[in-house]
Amino acid sequence: DAGITQSPRHKVTETGTPVTLRCHQTENHRYMYWYRQDPGHGLRLIHYSYGVKDTDKGEVSDGYSVSRSKTEDFLLTLESATSSQTSVYFCAISEGPNEQFFGPGTRLTVL
Amino acid sequence: AQSVTQPDIHITVSEGASLELRCNYSYGATPYLFWYVQSPGQGLQLLLKYFSGDTLVQGIKGFEAEFKRSQSSFNLRKPSVHWSDAAEYFCAAKAAGNKLTFGGGTRVLVKP
């Protein structure tokens, strides 16, 4: 399995609070991604990174920001969590245009 | 807009029976195509991929998929299903760049 960890694995928070999710890889892959998974929607891309300090928006980026200060870490921040951001969040990595490898996911509940 | 469609939300199959999951894509040119499987509470695992060449692709766990350009389809098949194949299956496609687009998923239930 690709060396991808996500933390925390589960989190419950309240509306309006900031939340940061962490993705850590040991594969030294260039590309990292954040997705959210909701029933009936498959996975939708939030943000991605193509190198240290290089990031871009995906299809559902509103309300989310990301940072990548090291190759191995990609952080996803919800500046002010809302109930619509209750979801399962997956990190993925890839090296170039090949397949992406996924982490175990973080289940976030916003009350 | 680029899209991936999985027409079946749920499929129930008896153990030992064959399984086929449908996937259609809408892209200007043939994208890279993937099938992933997700067991309950787990991340996604790559089953197989198609980039070019032979249109019948073999994957892990006894799965195969067939690319049909004329139908814009990439259907997943398994000749004989095991109880451990109960999971959710996602088709995904990628054109230029590294952005994957996923279908909505098909949940497979296996009857004993």
Side-chain angles (χ1 to χ4, degrees), chain B residues 52-92:
Chain B
S52 64
D54 193 344
T55 57
L56 187 62
V57 180
Q58 301 298 317
I60 63 171
K61 304 186 178 187
F63 284 92
E64 66 179 24
E66 185 172 13
F67 168 68
K68 292 186 177 180
R69 185 189 307 275
S70 61
Q71 299 177 18
S72 298
S73 69
F74 188 55
N75 293 350
L76 182 71
R77 299 193 294 251
K78 185 168 185 177
S80 177
V81 169
H82 187 262
W83 63 265
S84 60
D85 294 321
E88 190 157 20
Y89 293 79
F90 293 95
C91 182

Side-chain angles (χ1 to χ4, degrees), chain A residues 31 33 37 97 99-100, chain B residues 36 38 49 90 94 98-99:
Chain A
Y31 296 88
Y33 312 81
Q37 183 180 29
E99 62 267 29
Q100 294 180 15
Chain B
Y36 287 87
Q38 183 182 32
K49 60 189 177 186
F90 293 95
K94 180 164 67 68
N98 285 352
K99 297 182 185 180

Side-chain angles (χ1 to χ4, degrees), chain A residues 7-86:
Chain A
S7 59
R9 294 293 312 281
H10 302 270
K11 186 171 182 67
V12 179
T13 190
E14 295 187 348
T15 297
T17 60
V19 176
T20 295
L21 308 182
R22 180 182 184 237
C23 177
H24 178 79
Q25 62 148 328
T26 58
E27 305 296 321
N28 201 37
H29 281 3
R30 178 182 176 189
Y31 296 88
M32 298 185 75
Y33 312 81
W34 277 109
Y35 292 88
R36 60 177 290 172
Q37 183 180 29
D38 304 290
H41 291 278
L43 277 76
R44 292 179 291 174
L45 183 65
I46 304 171
H47 283 280
Y48 69 101
S49 169
Y50 47 96
V52 173
K53 299 190 188 306
D54 292 324
T55 64
D56 204 352
K57 296 179 180 180
E59 64 178 303
V60 290
S61 59
D62 287 349
Y64 301 94
S65 63
V66 290
S67 65
R68 191 171 179 198
S69 58
K70 299 185 290 185
T71 298
E72 57 266 35
D73 289 326
F74 192 33
L75 304 181
L76 176 71
T77 298
L78 291 64
E79 302 289 349
S80 178
T82 67
S83 59
S84 65
Q85 294 175 312
T86 292

Side-chain angles (χ1 to χ4, degrees), chain A residues 81-103:
Chain A
T82 67
S83 59
S84 65
Q85 294 175 312
T86 292
S87 187
V88 181
Y89 292 85
F90 286 97
C91 175
I93 64 174
S94 72
E95 188 56 49
N98 297 318
E99 62 267 29
Q100 294 180 15
F101 299 97
F102 286 81

